[in-house]
Amino acid sequence: MESLNELSLSEDDPRLCVAKDPASCIREECCEFSVAVAGSPGVGKTVLIQALLGLTESHQHSNVTSLYPTRPGGPLLYIHPSHPGLSLWELPLEDGSPEKWILEADLLLLVTNGQFSRVHIDLARSALSQGKKLCLVRSQVDCDLHTLKRRMKEMFSREEVLHSLCTLTLQPFSDLKNKGEIRLFLVSGYEPWKLDTTRLKAVIEETSRMCGRPLSLVQQGYEVIGDKEISELQSALERGGIPEMVRFIQNSLDMLLDTRIDFAFEGGECSVRHSLLNALRGVRDEEDGSAHEKDPEAPTEYPSLKYPKASLWDIPGLGSHEFEVKDYLEHVNINHYDFIFLLLTNGTEATDSFKSLLSELKKQGKKVFLIRACEEGAIPMEEERGKNELFVLCPTKLPGPEFHRLLGNLEEQLSTHKSRAFMLSLPNLSAEVIQKKKEALAHEIWKVALLSSLVACVPVPGVAISCDMSLLTARLDTYRQELGLDASSIASLSQQYGVPAATLMLEIHSPAGKGVTRELVGKMLGTATGLGLEIAGVILHRFPLLGPLATGGIAFHANYSVLSRCLEGLAEDAQRVLEKALTFHSTSMN
């Protein structure tokens, strides 16, 4: 997601949720890092925050966000889903309210577009006395530079002016500056990415690492909610209210499970082709349900063990029938397949029948990859490397560099839904495959979080939000299965690599990896909402259409946080389990 989540809050709101003991909040577990940005109205706090999050007022999603503060001039919370652990609080200065927020912030940014006042100085000293990190920000420096350049004319020196501005701005903090407790950053108003903004980002990252909660202000690959989806959600809400919006999101989530994928495999030696089919399905040769018969007389379907709607097809070769190419393609129902994999043997490419088949497939616009099987440890010939349509694989020893290149090419040529569904249908063949599964699941998190907060009806005891616990529990259990951490997947991996299942289970460290229950989800939601921040009357304003959902914001944030953290932990578990299996197998073979 690239655009900003903006939430408003009010002290007087009856939905006030206060952590009675902020020190008891497990902030390290939540990986939360809070930055308080305090300053008078008009000094450019909002522009600064947008710059720190990589946004500008002209950004394509900036107009989508909309603020509806429950108290004009009250604190505002900015949460960027691309960095779900980072929270930036925009605080007013006049009423002294920042003082009570300092305790919860990890870093305080004091912002002014002129000289720092006594209020700033007192607030700075208070923050430092509490052991907080402090940065001073002199905003709208570009206006000063423009004015001085016009007045000084040929005597103007940009470097000297900036140096003098720093000296003058820091004068009220001379004793603190000498102790090295504060740093000053000059930022521009109209071009906020210039001057010291980059350096300030680096300091925020550095401070987060010092606090034990490292983050990066670079995109982390989370789902981007595009303008089309925003428009569709708005239309659903206008068409039938929240019930229609719920149906729309549910249908969108179901689309992944309902996506049909069919890959056809033809040619080559029968045993090699079947070994490739079995490896892609996560079954061993000769195992029940594996492909191990002779060449088929008709297309034979081998459904994925995880995704019944994802199937690999073993189709008869052209040479086994007295057909013309067009008749053969009709006989094997070629239009049914999303991709055709043609396996090669020595001399195959030189035959007239192969040339005719490949030519007709391309003429019909079919997507075709060529697979040349090789022995274990063999290196592809120089002329075979890097060809977009030719991949050299050892079916009994997947994966490998060529296999990952094949996956990359498939991703480029398949639709988004088919690509994600295919990745999720694969067994955990490698760390790269697990990562792609994680990315595929991460794309739906915002939808699950929003759906759960919309259909909420029964409050969770001890949790200051309402959400659909059943939905969250079921979805997390699905993630656990998708990443191969359920009992059936562990047992299959145990048999495949000859490692005791109990040994593999020891590599599962995350609570969700060991089993998902309503009690566990409720506990995690409690942690997610008890971040030690006085969250009051929070409303999610990712879209203007969510303005009426007065209780949905905190639920969305908590759901999103729990789903993201659990998915991260489950993926790490899956990586450790696979690594243990591979290491154990390698050791036993030596």
Side-chain angles (χ1 to χ4, degrees):
M1 302 181 186
E2 288 186 320
S3 57
L4 208 57
N5 273 343
E6 300 182 348
L7 299 88
S8 62
L9 43 83
S10 165
E11 291 178 328
D12 304 321
D13 196 287
R15 295 179 298 275
L16 183 65
C17 172
V18 181
K20 295 180 181 179
D21 180 11
S24 66
C25 299
I26 311 175
R27 302 189 67 181
E28 288 78 6
E29 179 182 337
C30 297
C31 298
E32 285 283 337
F33 184 79
S34 297
V35 180
V37 183
S40 302
V43 300
K45 298 189 295 294
T46 302
V47 172
L48 173 63
I49 290 173
Q50 288 184 327
L52 292 175
L53 293 176
L55 303 175
T56 65
E57 292 182 359
S58 61
H59 192 277
Q60 62 171 327
H61 291 302
S62 292
N63 292 330
V64 173
T65 55
S66 180
L67 294 177
Y68 300 92
T70 54
R71 184 179 58 141
L76 295 175
L77 172 61
Y78 294 74
I79 298 174
H80 199 305
S82 292
H83 337 290
L86 174 63
S87 300
L88 293 101
W89 293 86
E90 181 179 331
L91 308 176
L93 196 63
E94 279 60 32
D95 61 358
S97 61
E99 184 77 25
K100 60 190 175 186
W101 294 83
I102 290 177
L103 180 63
E104 298 302 332
D106 298 295
L107 173 65
L108 173 63
L109 305 185
L110 282 179
V111 186
T112 185
N113 58 355
Q115 282 292 97
F116 285 104
S117 66
R118 171 52 58 183
V119 175
H120 293 106
I121 298 170
D122 292 342
L123 194 57
R125 294 186 184 279
S126 176
L128 293 173
S129 68
Q130 297 179 43
K132 303 298 179 181
K133 300 297 181 181
L134 172 68
C135 291
L136 303 178
V137 178
R138 175 61 162 81
S139 63
Q140 301 174 6
V141 173
D142 48 340
C143 296
D144 297 302
L145 291 174
H146 177 75
T147 300
L148 290 171
K149 184 176 181 179
R150 180 168 50 82
R151 290 180 178 178
M152 298 174 69
K153 298 182 180 179
E154 66 274 3
M155 297 179 62
F156 176 81
S157 168
R158 180 184 174 88
E159 291 73 20
E160 290 181 5
V161 168
L162 290 176
H163 176 74
S164 299
L165 189 58
C166 285
T167 303
L168 183 64
T169 304
L170 284 172
Q171 273 185 353
F173 302 94
S174 55
D175 57 331
L176 300 178
K177 178 188 175 185
N178 295 334
K179 295 179 183 179
E181 294 184 281
I182 60 172
R183 285 181 278 191
L184 175 66
F185 299 85
L186 306 180
V187 299
S188 171
Y190 289 100
E191 298 176 306
W193 58 90
K194 292 189 175 181
L195 296 176
D196 293 338
T197 301
T198 301
R199 192 163 62 92
L200 181 56
K201 283 185 180 182
V203 168
I204 294 176
E205 293 180 5
E206 176 190 348
T207 307
S208 71
R209 287 191 292 271
M210 292 171 59
C211 293
R213 297 183 292 278
L215 57 87
S216 173
L217 296 183
V218 178
Q219 289 292 335
Q220 300 296 316
Y222 286 83
E223 171 75 336
V224 172
I225 305 182
D227 292 332
K228 181 181 178 182
E229 287 177 307
I230 293 171
S231 176
E232 289 173 341
L233 285 170
Q234 178 72 62
S235 297
L237 185 64
E238 293 173 351
R239 190 168 56 247
I242 292 178
E244 182 63 27
M245 190 176 180
V246 167
R247 280 191 290 271
F248 174 82
I249 298 173
Q250 185 62 65
N251 290 339
S252 178
L253 289 171
D254 290 342
M255 189 178 296
L256 183 62
L257 297 176
D258 292 335
T259 299
R260 180 84 211 175
I261 315 167
D262 293 281
F263 289 170
F265 292 77
E266 187 270 351
E269 295 181 7
C270 179
S271 60
V272 172
R273 188 174 67 254
H274 288 168
S275 290
L276 179 59
L277 285 168
N278 293 334
L280 292 174
R281 296 176 62 237
V283 299
R284 292 169 294 165
D285 293 344
E286 306 301 328
E287 185 179 337
D288 288 345
S290 66
H292 59 272
E293 302 294 336
K294 59 183 181 180
D295 284 321
E297 293 293 326
T300 303
E301 181 181 11
Y302 294 95
S304 164
L305 300 183
K306 288 183 175 292
Y307 267 76
K309 292 191 176 183
S311 294
L312 307 181
W313 293 79
D314 185 18
I315 65 175
L318 175 60
S320 62
H321 293 79
E322 296 291 332
F323 283 131
E324 293 291 332
V325 173
K326 289 185 178 180
D327 294 334
Y328 163 76
L329 294 179
E330 185 176 342
H331 172 72
V332 298
N333 193 18
I334 202 66
N335 290 326
H336 182 70
Y337 312 114
D338 300 291
F339 240 102
I340 297 95
F341 296 85
L342 301 181
L343 277 74
L344 308 177
T345 55
N346 291 334
T348 299
E349 294 168 280
T351 63
D352 291 337
S353 60
F354 174 81
K355 292 178 180 177
S356 298
L357 174 61
L358 188 59
S359 175
E360 185 62 30
L361 286 171
K362 291 188 174 182
K363 187 184 298 182
Q364 294 187 22
K366 303 303 177 187
K367 297 172 181 176
V368 182
F369 279 163
L370 308 180
I371 306 293
R372 187 184 300 284
C374 69
E375 298 295 328
E376 183 179 346
I379 299 175
M381 293 183 291
E382 188 66 34
E383 62 269 20
E384 294 175 332
R385 295 179 184 174
K387 287 188 176 181
N388 290 337
E389 296 180 351
L390 176 62
F391 303 88
V392 182
L393 304 176
C394 176
T396 59
K397 273 295 179 182
L398 293 182
E402 282 286 279
F403 177 72
H404 293 129
R405 188 169 69 87
L406 171 63
L407 291 186
N409 277 265
L410 277 172
E411 279 188 294
E412 292 177 2
Q413 300 202 37
L414 290 172
S415 68
T416 301
H417 281 96
K418 285 184 180 290
S419 174
R420 293 176 188 169
F422 174 64
M423 293 303 168
L424 293 173
S425 75
L426 291 173
N428 287 354
L429 295 169
S430 67
E432 289 85 349
V433 171
I434 293 173
Q435 177 62 25
K436 288 190 178 296
K437 286 187 176 186
K438 173 190 166 185
E439 292 171 0
L441 294 171
H443 279 289
E444 68 165 23
I445 283 181
W446 73 268
K447 296 177 184 177
V448 179
L450 182 56
L451 183 63
S452 177
S453 62
L454 289 176
V455 302
C457 57
V458 180
V460 181
V463 179
I465 65 169
S466 294
C467 66
D468 188 335
M469 289 281 286
S470 299
L471 191 154
L472 289 181
T473 303
R475 213 69 188 187
L476 285 174
D477 192 55
T478 298
Y479 291 175
R480 181 169 172 262
Q481 295 179 44
E482 300 288 6
L483 291 167
L485 298 175
D486 57 300
S488 176
S489 298
I490 293 293
S492 177
L493 197 65
S494 171
Q495 292 180 355
Q496 182 178 356
Y497 290 99
V499 52
T503 301
L504 297 178
M505 293 292 288
L506 291 175
E507 301 303 316
I508 300 178
H509 298 171
S510 71
K514 297 175 182 178
V516 182
T517 63
R518 285 178 63 91
E519 291 73 23
L520 175 64
V521 174
K523 181 180 178 181
M524 289 188 293
L525 284 170
T527 302
T529 55
L531 297 177
L533 297 170
E534 293 179 321
I535 303 176
V538 183
I539 304 173
L540 179 68
H541 289 298
R542 170 58 185 86
F543 314 113
L545 57 91
L546 294 185
L549 306 180
T551 61
I554 181 59
F556 175 88
H557 179 54
N559 294 339
Y560 191 95
S561 175
V562 167
L563 290 167
S564 298
R565 283 188 289 138
C566 284
L567 180 58
E568 188 72 32
L570 291 169
E572 291 175 359
D573 287 340
Q575 299 283 13
R576 281 191 296 268
V577 168
L578 178 62
E579 185 177 353
K580 173 61 72 173
L582 294 173
T583 303
F584 189 97
H585 181 71
S586 176
T587 303
S588 64
M589 295 294 289
N590 294 332

